[in-house]
Amino acid sequence: MKDGRHLTMGIESSCDETAIAVLADGRDLLSNVISSQIEIHTLYGGVVPEIASRHHLNNIPFVFRQALDDAGVTLDEIDEIGVTAGPGLAGALLMGTAYAKAVCLASGKPLVGVHHIQGHILANLLEHQDLEPPFLALVVSGGHTHLVEVRGYNEFKVLGATRDDAVGEAYDKVARVLGLGYPGGPKIDAIAKEGDPHAHEFKRVLLEKDSLDFSFSGTKTGVINYLHSEEQRGNEVNRADVAASFQQAVVDVLVEKAMAALDLTGYKGLALAGGVACNSALRHRMAKACRRKGAKLWIPSPIFCTDNGAMIAMAAYQKARLGLYADLDLDVYPGLDLETGLGKLDK
Ligand code: KG4
Ligand code: ZN
């Protein structure tokens, strides 16, 4: 029974999860169905775009049905449908947007185009209802590493970004060379708990003074070179020590840059977002650094850090409140920019 609630559906298919959620009044999550393809892509050591698209195509009608059933609502009761239109894999994005547009065309529901990273950031609102813009966010995902000033629910200013690898990408590449498999982030996080974070001093790249940009490729290459040279010499490596030391280097940089961003902007709190925000060392060290600074820290539960439909529903709800809807000819934008690209999604 709808009971006068405002219901938003969120559809996410930008990478390897087919995910749909229903959110009531931008506050109560009624369902959050995530169909992960991780086991399939693990066989290939990473996401294979063509395979991802095919699986989205097969899964999406079932995930859609399940999201409505779990929420105990009918499509008729949904007020708007939000969908990720970029950035991400073109074929994967097409599956979600084509499905959302078809449902909107058939039902007459309004469509909302959502930027995937906007979704990751606004995932913080799902559990922290006290949080409202403006605030500072650190986005750490498989494809993005950004320090962002969240000026409004649909207005973002990028203060710093990676100049090479995203953090999650560096985790995944190091994990592959360590023989830990895909996705590497959670595997490194787990094995690092058994290792010594000070066993190796891998490179920390801080760039120019006052720069809020990041660079992780030097750290990653340092680890990979070390592993290759030990292998050539026939030496055994302690993988837990390498994982823990790599993680220590990465987290040192993330914490230092985040603290610098708080100092430079004067914000008194920071929100974490994206898959790498699941990382136990990052969560722990960032909490400690924020406490020391007297700053607040918001972190979504792990299920809302990695790709999910709830974050897309939240972003869509906020956009709908601003009257920002998409046309039914909404395109997909694999390289969509967070600062200037948002307007491309709206009528
Ligand atoms: O946000 P997300 O689900 O997808 C993108 O938008 O990219 O992030 C996926 C990334 C992967 O690189 C994965 O290895 C990383 O998040 N990740 C982690 C952890 N859990 C997921 N990285 C470090 N520690 C974790 N516990
Ligand atoms: Zn993501």
Side-chain angles (χ1 to χ4, degrees):
M1 201 34 219
K2 187 169 153 117
D3 299 334
R5 291 173 303 173
H6 185 101
L7 301 183
T8 310
M9 174 177 271
I11 301 181
E12 157 61 32
S13 74
S14 67
C15 191
D16 58 350
E17 340 276 351
T18 320
I20 304 187
V22 176
L23 182 69
D25 296 327
R27 197 176 39 237
D28 302 319
L29 191 58
L30 303 185
S31 66
N32 189 34
V33 181
I34 303 172
S35 168
S36 173
Q37 306 175 10
I38 282 181
E39 278 181 23
I40 299 154
H41 297 289
T42 298
L43 301 172
Y44 305 94
V47 177
V48 183
E50 179 59 23
I51 294 176
S53 308
R54 285 168 192 272
H55 281 278
H56 285 308
L57 181 63
N58 287 338
N59 294 345
I60 207 162
F62 300 103
V63 176
F64 175 78
R65 185 75 261 149
Q66 186 76 43
L68 288 174
D69 289 351
D70 285 3
V73 301
T74 62
L75 173 61
D76 219 32
E77 295 169 282
I78 299 289
D79 289 280
E80 67 260 327
I81 298 183
V83 65
T84 306
L89 302 169
L93 290 165
L94 271 169
M95 297 304 126
T97 53
Y99 195 83
K101 289 193 286 186
V103 172
C104 287
L105 182 66
S107 64
K109 304 286 172 194
L111 178 69
V112 182
V114 175
H115 190 294
H116 183 75
I117 298 303
Q118 175 177 25
H120 271 304
I121 294 172
L122 297 186
N124 277 284
L125 307 182
L126 289 162
E127 297 164 295
H128 305 295
Q129 264 128 39
D130 58 319
L131 180 60
E132 37 179 83
F135 61 89
L136 193 65
L138 173 64
V139 181
V140 279
S141 75
H144 295 81
T145 307
H146 278 153
L147 267 163
V148 180
E149 191 180 342
V150 183
R151 293 184 169 172
Y153 294 102
N154 196 52
E155 193 189 346
F156 303 87
K157 169 93 189 127
V158 176
L159 305 178
T162 184
R163 295 184 187 173
D164 40 58
D165 291 14
V167 198
E169 195 181 348
Y171 262 96
D172 292 341
K173 286 181 183 162
V174 165
R176 193 178 312 154
V177 180
L178 277 171
L180 296 174
Y182 172 84
K187 305 238 163 76
I188 290 190
D189 194 357
I191 187 179
K193 294 197 168 80
E194 317 294 324
D196 173 5
H198 304 291
H200 305 277
E201 273 299 304
F202 294 124
K203 202 164 163 184
R204 280 111 169 117
V205 181
L206 291 170
L207 302 167
E208 309 82 39
K209 187 177 172 299
D210 284 351
S211 168
L212 294 178
D213 281 349
F214 300 89
S215 167
F216 294 106
S217 79
T219 312
K220 172 199 73 184
T221 309
V223 179
I224 294 174
N225 287 347
Y226 168 77
L227 291 170
H228 284 160
S229 72
E230 291 304 289
E231 191 182 58
Q232 272 163 11
R233 290 193 195 119
N235 295 340
E236 273 285 309
V237 293
N238 182 324
R239 297 195 304 173
D241 281 353
V242 173
S245 302
F246 162 73
Q247 182 160 279
Q248 180 81 6
V250 167
V251 173
D252 275 355
V253 172
L254 290 172
V255 170
E256 180 148 348
K257 291 279 176 178
M259 294 306 110
L262 287 173
D263 288 341
L264 283 170
T265 59
Y267 281 108
K268 297 275 175 272
L270 173 78
L272 291 190
V276 185
C278 290
N279 186 264
S280 56
L282 178 62
R283 294 169 87 97
H284 176 73
R285 297 263 315 279
M286 199 64 87
K288 215 163 125 187
C290 283
R291 232 179 0 254
R292 206 174 304 137
K293 209 178 241 324
K296 274 195 88 160
L297 177 66
W298 299 276
I299 319 180
S301 295
I303 189 74
F304 301 127
C305 289
T306 45
D307 293 348
N308 63 87
M311 69 186 201
I312 304 304
M314 175 57 87
Y317 171 78
Q318 298 298 345
K319 288 192 73 169
R321 284 208 309 161
L322 297 170
L324 298 170
Y325 295 97
D327 268 326
L328 284 187
D329 64 356
L330 174 70
D331 210 343
V332 296
Y333 300 92
L336 190 65
D337 180 74
L338 182 61
E339 228 172 80
T340 58
L342 293 174
K344 288 185 184 167
L345 308 181
D346 311 326
K347 274 182 195 165

